[in-house]
Amino acid sequence: MAWLDAWPVNGAGWVLPELERCFLRHARGLDLVRRLLEAAVAGRLGRGIIACDSWAWAFLQRVWAIPQPEVYTLQAFDANRLAVHLLNPASAGAGHGLWVRNARTGEDVLPLGDVEGGVPASDEMRRLAAHCRDNPGIAWRYWRSHLRPEPDPSAADIDAENGQPADAWPADTDTMWWSSGRDPVMPADTGDDMAFVLHGLLLHNGLPEELLARLMPLSRDQLGAVLQRLARLGLVECDVRPWQVAPLGYAAARDFLRGRGYLVDAF
Amino acid sequence: MNDTDTFVQIFRALTGEALLDIGLIAGTALLLIVGFGRLLPWLADKFHGKPRLYLLASVPLLRMLIIALALLVIIPRVIEPTPQNMLAVLGAAGLAFGFALKEYVSSLIAGVVALHEFPYRPGDWIEVGGAYGEVKHIGMRTVEIVTQDDTVVFIPHLKIWNEQIANANDGGSHLQCAADFYLQPDHDAAAVQHLLHDVALSSPYLQLDMPVSVSVGTALGDALPHPGLPHRSSSAVPVRHGSHRSRQGRAVGPGHRCRRRARGIGRRLSAHHGRAAVLVQARVPERDAECLDATIALTSRFAPHSARAYRVSALYARLNRGLRTN
């Protein structure tokens, strides 16, 4: 609360990039965000921008009725925009052109194209965009994890049958092969414990284990076991940040929670 | 003698071949019943929500159909299937049933009606004759429920003729849970109301898509005896699992009376809010009262495989903990 009371009101604009860090789903963890939103809407904090994770936003709408709908979100990354995003050397991590083909069929996934002029979307790209719900961050992780340097033997055979030499593409172009691999799946015996942890992590956009233990109806030992099991399944990770739902497991976790009737985000 | 001959003529001679047929039919029917009885629940465990409940509900229905088909096939092998013979045998059987097995047959017929009207299905939480628990199995004559203290109760289907059956979730995947709280009289009612609201909102068992309703009364209701009175003991509000103690050291926990009351309030709120997901009712005593009594009820999700009693006590622990910390 002291943080909010010491809010500098000097007329300068401000940005609060992670509203989800301002609350905990706990009986004593909601007052701060209520006060913050109330003060921001009333104009007592001056002019500013608040950014919020979509899951936290879905929850906060139940916590405090947001009176004005001045809420904006980034445009979804559909297949075309996603192709441009992934082809961009900066995002692709390469210094020159990239040609990505399906590792099994040899078909173009990301054809050689001009980023400025737009890139035609392949069926693979449409499937990727749909699977990642047009979320560029998840799509990027998904994309990188499924790239490989060598094709399947079947794809090489296709090139040979078509009489296409292996060096048919420009010299300054790298060819990568893309294959949709096995994604994490929710186990059939998933119970309440795992659902609670996944939902808690999504609502808070990741939490350290100590805080998560205070929010879950689980003992610390139980929580640790659940987290380790979810990590082995590839559904959560704790590499750099606190525990969070792994990007590759996001689709499975979201579908599972939606199927169980949990609150999910609107995206 | 003539009567005896006539009676004997009704039945066919049971040859070895006929007995073999009957045995095979009965055995096949038994295998099918056992097979479906294991296969469908196994299959149902792969699903969640309504598909699971429908699969479980189809078990007794299939069993009834298999038995009826087996009888239809077996009877002509035992009785000469003329109208007179059928009338005579069925009449005699009906008379015997009517006198000797009236209750049993009534339960059987009620079981058929239950399959049609669905007053309960496997997975539902029902209360019949004071017994409250989860429906585990619907048999030919009885429905088996498991109460919160892990007791199996067999309830004859004939109860549906003349007893009220309360179904807490009615095929859905969520229901209301209720718990009593006893607080000191100097608590700020508004603060308690606010806190209970947040306690409910922060429960991971909560169905967030449903509205939260909070109401505060200004007097103790008749249905809620004064906690300070001698008869308000821990046994009056049974503590099934994981009892917890409030500030006054009074053991409290989820109980039938509280649950029924909460359910009734939920129905009243339904008229205003559609479905009352969370109900928090804090009762503020008169100035001379000794304590404040609050009831919180919220709609929670439940999984088919875990014991609800644990969930209720876990929820209750959270609620109580939330109150203690304030």
Side-chain angles (χ1 to χ4, degrees):
Chain A
M1 292 294 182
W3 167 76
L4 182 58
D5 293 335
W7 193 278
V9 184
N10 52 13
W14 49 265
V15 175
L16 181 63
E18 292 180 312
L19 183 62
E20 63 271 18
R21 300 292 170 219
C22 298
F23 79 94
L24 286 174
R25 193 182 182 190
H26 187 273
R28 304 183 70 187
L30 301 173
D31 281 343
L32 173 64
V33 74
R34 282 199 186 101
R35 283 189 56 196
L36 172 68
L37 288 172
E38 193 272 333
V41 169
R44 292 198 297 274
L45 303 182
R47 293 177 65 84
I49 296 174
I50 298 176
C52 184
D53 178 79
S54 58
W55 286 77
W57 186 249
F59 177 68
L60 289 176
Q61 285 176 299
R62 272 77 177 171
V63 172
W64 194 72
I66 316 295
Q68 53 183 2
E70 279 190 58
V71 180
Y72 303 95
T73 185
L74 296 174
Q75 184 178 348
F77 272 65
D78 59 8
N80 291 308
R81 299 185 73 225
L82 197 58
V84 171
H85 176 65
L86 297 174
L87 194 60
N88 189 316
S91 57
H96 40 75
L98 189 64
W99 184 19
V100 183
R101 304 173 65 190
N102 189 305
R104 292 198 188 93
T105 64
E107 294 174 354
D108 287 347
V109 176
L110 260 186
L112 281 170
D114 181 11
V115 173
E116 300 298 328
V119 179
S122 63
D123 290 341
E124 289 281 6
M125 199 55 61
R126 290 192 188 90
R127 277 193 286 273
L128 175 64
H131 180 75
C132 300
R133 306 186 69 80
D134 295 338
N135 184 318
I138 293 175
W140 184 82
R141 283 284 299 266
Y142 195 85
W143 173 255
R144 293 295 297 261
S145 69
H146 290 82
L147 283 178
R148 54 167 84 169
E150 297 293 334
D152 285 353
S154 57
D157 294 343
I158 291 170
D159 278 355
E161 288 172 9
N162 294 337
Q164 188 173 12
D167 56 352
W169 48 88
D172 60 345
T173 300
D174 285 337
T175 300
M176 297 293 286
W177 303 85
W178 197 81
S179 174
S180 54
R182 287 173 61 89
D183 297 327
V185 293
M186 297 297 299
D189 62 342
T190 302
D192 282 345
D193 296 351
M194 291 168 75
F196 289 163
V197 171
L198 287 172
H199 199 232
L201 289 176
L202 285 167
L203 287 189
H204 295 88
N205 194 19
L207 279 176
E209 190 171 339
E210 296 78 18
L211 274 179
L212 198 57
R214 298 184 64 183
L215 308 186
M216 296 290 115
L218 305 169
S219 69
R220 191 65 185 270
D221 294 341
Q222 288 174 317
L223 176 63
V226 170
L227 284 171
Q228 291 304 326
R229 187 176 181 208
L230 288 170
R232 279 199 301 276
L233 292 166
L235 292 162
V236 301
E237 61 185 19
C238 182
D239 294 335
V240 182
R241 301 182 61 191
W243 286 102
Q244 63 177 357
V245 173
L248 297 186
Y250 176 75
R254 189 182 190 282
D255 288 346
F256 166 77
L257 292 172
R258 186 172 54 82
R260 288 281 178 99
Y262 285 78
L263 177 72
V264 296
D265 70 345
F267 300 102
Chain B
M1 188 65 184
N2 286 338
D3 290 344
T4 306
D5 290 343
T6 306
F7 184 72
V8 169
Q9 284 170 2
I10 291 175
F11 294 94
R12 284 183 163 179
L14 286 179
T15 62
E17 186 181 355
L19 284 174
L20 187 64
D21 283 351
I22 292 171
L24 281 174
I25 294 166
T28 306
L30 191 63
L31 278 176
L32 285 174
I33 288 172
V34 172
F36 279 120
R38 293 186 178 179
L39 174 68
L40 290 178
W42 174 81
L43 200 59
D45 283 347
K46 309 289 178 195
F47 295 91
H48 192 268
K50 290 211 176 283
R52 170 181 178 270
L53 295 174
Y54 284 134
L55 276 173
L56 289 174
S58 65
V59 174
L61 191 64
L62 275 174
R63 183 173 58 229
M64 181 65 76
L65 285 174
I66 292 169
I67 290 173
L69 280 173
L71 286 176
L72 279 176
V73 180
I74 287 175
I75 285 175
R77 284 169 167 74
V78 180
I79 301 168
E80 194 66 43
T82 63
Q84 293 86 348
N85 288 351
M86 296 299 286
L87 198 65
V89 171
L90 291 178
L95 202 62
F97 280 143
F99 280 105
L101 301 168
K102 178 185 162 199
E103 299 290 311
Y104 191 88
V105 174
S106 180
S107 274
L108 289 179
I109 295 171
V112 176
V113 173
L115 294 178
H116 169 65
E117 292 186 351
F118 280 117
Y120 38 70
R121 322 156 185 75
D124 281 0
W125 283 81
I126 65 171
E127 181 174 354
V128 184
Y132 179 75
E134 182 178 6
V135 176
K136 288 294 183 186
H137 178 71
I138 298 179
M140 292 287 292
R141 191 186 67 83
T142 60
V143 53
E144 294 176 31
I145 68 171
V146 178
T147 63
Q148 293 179 69
D149 55 358
D150 203 27
T151 301
V152 180
V153 179
F154 297 85
I155 302 170
H157 290 305
L158 63 85
K159 295 279 187 186
I160 68 173
W161 297 136
N162 51 17
E163 281 211 23
Q164 176 177 289
I165 296 170
N167 193 322
N169 57 312
D170 195 23
S173 59
H174 50 264
L175 45 72
Q176 272 195 354
C177 299
D180 279 351
F181 294 90
Y182 306 124
L183 306 173
Q184 290 177 354
D186 56 351
H187 271 75
D188 180 357
V192 170
Q193 181 185 10
H194 176 75
L195 178 62
L196 288 177
H197 182 279
D198 278 1
V199 166
L201 203 58
S202 59
S203 167
Y205 296 94
L206 178 70
Q207 283 282 355
L208 276 165
D209 284 333
M210 293 186 168
V212 175
S213 298
V214 179
S215 63
V216 176
T218 55
L220 293 171
D222 292 336
L224 197 63
H226 196 293
L229 296 178
H231 68 270
R232 184 72 171 190
S233 64
S234 59
S235 59
V237 184
V239 181
R240 300 300 186 190
H241 290 265
S243 66
H244 305 275
R245 293 194 174 271
S246 65
R247 288 183 175 186
Q248 289 78 15
R250 195 182 301 278
V252 293
H256 285 298
R257 183 192 51 71
C258 172
R259 185 171 49 251
R260 283 200 299 270
R261 185 167 146 273
R263 197 177 298 147
I265 298 168
R267 280 199 294 273
R268 286 203 297 277
L269 286 173
S270 296
H272 304 291
H273 302 287
R275 300 181 74 181
V278 174
L279 163 72
V280 179
Q281 183 167 32
R283 290 188 175 272
V284 183
E286 302 293 343
R287 291 303 304 166
D288 57 350
E290 292 180 5
C291 66
L292 182 149
D293 199 340
T295 296
I296 180 169
L298 56 84
T299 301
S300 70
R301 61 174 57 82
F302 66 93
H305 312 296
S306 55
R308 179 175 177 269
Y310 166 74
R311 288 190 298 274
V312 171
S313 63
L315 164 67
Y316 171 73
R318 284 179 58 80
L319 299 176
N320 215 24
R321 195 164 58 235
L323 286 171
R324 271 203 203 98
T325 53
N326 285 267

